[in-house]
Amino acid sequence: VLTFVFSEPLKRLSLCIYWVSLIFASVLRFYNISKNSKIERILLRKYYHLLAVLMFVPALIFQPKFLHLAFGAALAVFLVLEIMRVWRIWPLGQFIHQFMTAFTDHRDSDLLIVSHFSLLLGCALPIWMSSGFNDRPLAPFAGILSLGIGDTMASIVGYKYGVLRWSKTGKKTIEGTAAGITSVLAACSILLPLLASTGYIFTEHWFSLILAVTVSSLLEAYTTQLDNAFIPLIFYSHLCL
C-alpha cells in the first residue's frame, strides 16, 4: 500500500491531505450544528452526501485507482469504529457513540448504525464494478450522482418546498423527485464535457441517461425503505445498458 501511495506522492498525498482537511472541518461543523440547532436530522445527513461529492469526484476523475484502494481502507476503518462504538471501547467508544447518534434515523437499529456504511458502499460499488467500462464513463459516478446530488437535492427541496406527496402516508414529494432528477441531469451536462476533455471516448446517450435517472429517482420515491446502497446499483445498471 505504501509503495502504491508513494509511487505518485505529490498527487496521492495531496489528495489524502485534501480528504483529511474536509473530514476534520465537516465533523466539527456538522456536530456543532446537530447540538445547537433545530435542523432536521434528514438535512444534517444530506450534508455528508454533499461532502462525498466534494471528496470523491476529483479523485475519481484524476486518481481512480487510488480511490479504489481508499474505499477499501475506509470500509475497514468504519468497521473498526462501529465495533468500538457498540462495545464502548475506551478511549473513543463513548465519543463515537454520541457523535453517531446525532445523525441516526428510523433506518438505524438500537444496536447498529448502518447509514454511513450505506453511503460509502453506495458510492464505492459502482466504482468497484465499473473497471473496463471506459466507453461509459458515467457508470463509476452512479453512486456519487444519485446519492451525493440527486438524493440530497430531492430531500432539501422536498422538505422545504414540497407540497404534492407521492402517497398520503409517505413523506416523499413530487417536487423533491423533480429536483433530484433535474440536478443529476445538470451535473451530468457538466461532467460529460469534463470527462471528454480528459481523454475518455464514450458512447453515452442522453436517452439512456434520462431513463436511468428517472427510474432510479422514482424507485427511491416510491420505495421508502430501499437502502442507499441499492439506488446507485439501479442507476449503474441502466447506465451500462
Side-chain angles (χ1 to χ4, degrees):
V1 171
L2 290 176
T3 301
F4 178 79
V5 172
F6 284 97
S7 63
E8 295 184 23
L10 181 61
K11 294 180 180 179
R12 291 170 181 166
L13 288 178
S14 298
L15 189 58
C16 289
I17 295 172
Y18 171 68
W19 283 343
V20 171
S21 301
L22 278 180
I23 292 172
F24 181 75
S26 64
V27 165
L28 291 179
R29 177 61 177 166
F30 298 162
Y31 186 54
N32 289 332
I33 290 176
S34 71
K35 293 191 301 181
N36 301 324
S37 73
K38 296 181 180 180
I39 297 178
E40 289 286 334
R41 288 189 178 186
I42 185 64
L43 297 183
L44 287 173
R45 292 157 65 97
K46 300 310 174 185
Y47 291 151
Y48 283 99
H49 289 217
L50 292 176
L51 178 64
V53 176
L54 295 176
M55 291 179 64
F56 302 148
V57 167
L60 186 52
I61 294 175
F62 300 109
Q63 285 290 317
K65 292 183 179 180
F66 185 48
L67 186 59
H68 278 238
L69 175 65
F71 275 134
L75 183 61
V77 170
F78 278 10
L79 288 170
V80 171
L81 293 177
E82 184 64 9
I83 291 172
M84 294 177 65
R85 186 196 68 81
V86 170
W87 291 95
R88 306 293 197 276
I89 297 176
W90 187 86
L92 296 176
Q94 186 60 34
F95 171 77
I96 295 171
H97 176 73
Q98 292 175 351
F99 178 82
M100 294 299 298
T101 51
F103 302 97
T104 57
D105 65 6
H106 63 279
R107 287 173 291 187
D108 296 302
S109 67
D110 293 333
L111 178 62
L112 296 177
I113 298 177
V114 298
S115 299
H116 52 306
F117 287 101
S118 297
L119 177 59
L120 180 69
L121 289 174
C123 293
L125 286 175
I127 296 172
W128 287 338
M129 296 168 60
S130 61
S131 298
F133 285 96
N134 290 329
D135 63 331
R136 302 283 182 155
L138 286 181
F141 292 88
I144 300 172
L145 289 171
S146 60
L147 294 179
I149 296 177
D151 184 56
T152 301
M153 291 304 299
S155 295
I156 293 175
V157 172
Y159 179 79
K160 291 187 174 182
Y161 307 107
V163 176
L164 303 174
R165 300 188 183 276
W166 284 107
S167 65
K168 294 181 179 179
T169 57
K171 296 182 178 180
K172 304 295 178 68
T173 64
I174 296 176
E175 293 89 346
T177 301
I181 294 173
T182 304
S183 62
V184 172
L185 292 176
C188 291
S189 67
I190 298 173
L191 191 57
L192 282 172
L194 180 61
L195 291 173
S197 68
T198 60
Y200 277 97
I201 300 175
F202 54 86
T203 58
E204 193 69 67
H205 299 291
W206 277 100
F207 176 78
S208 61
L209 177 59
I210 294 172
L211 178 64
V213 174
T214 303
V215 170
S216 58
S217 298
L218 290 176
L219 281 174
E220 196 277 336
Y222 273 103
T223 315
T224 56
Q225 297 301 321
L226 201 59
D227 195 81
N228 278 345
F230 293 102
I231 294 296
L233 294 181
I234 297 168
F235 189 19
Y236 171 85
S237 64
H238 281 80
L239 286 175
C240 293
L241 289 177

